[in-house]
Amino acid sequence: MAFSFEMIEDKIEFFEAASLSVLEKKINEQIDHNKALLLEVSSVSHQMCFDLDNKKPYYSAVVHFKLKKTR
């Protein structure tokens, strides 16, 4: 049996939370995990909307990770 390893070059992850601080914490934790895979943040897109039933804000984000370039 042979194992084949390939580097992940692009990874897109989605996050959601009921508060901005929780969303930020989730993203920061995943940034730390992805550093082990030699991935760094390429771009972040975020959005806030209101839950019409509860009248509370709801936050979401998309983070694009790319393979860290070595110099």
Side-chain angles (χ1 to χ4, degrees):
M1 178 183 333
F3 288 102
S4 174
F5 294 100
E6 294 181 29
M7 295 292 291
I8 298 173
E9 293 186 24
D10 284 292
K11 184 178 181 186
I12 297 175
E13 296 193 42
F14 301 88
F15 302 90
E16 56 187 18
S19 75
L20 194 55
S21 60
V22 172
L23 181 66
E24 183 179 14
K25 182 180 177 187
K26 288 180 176 183
I27 293 170
N28 284 331
E29 286 176 357
Q30 200 58 35
I31 288 171
D32 287 340
H33 294 161
N34 284 329
K35 282 182 183 178
L37 300 174
L38 299 177
L39 297 174
E40 61 185 1
V41 174
S42 174
S43 66
V44 177
S45 177
H46 58 88
Q47 184 173 343
M48 188 273 296
C49 63
F50 281 96
D51 181 347
L52 296 176
D53 295 330
N54 297 326
K55 308 266 190 219
K56 292 184 180 180
Y58 188 75
Y59 302 90
S60 62
V62 177
V63 181
H64 181 195
F65 294 94
K66 285 190 137 200
L67 182 63
K68 188 174 186 174
K69 301 292 181 190
T70 55
R71 297 179 190 153

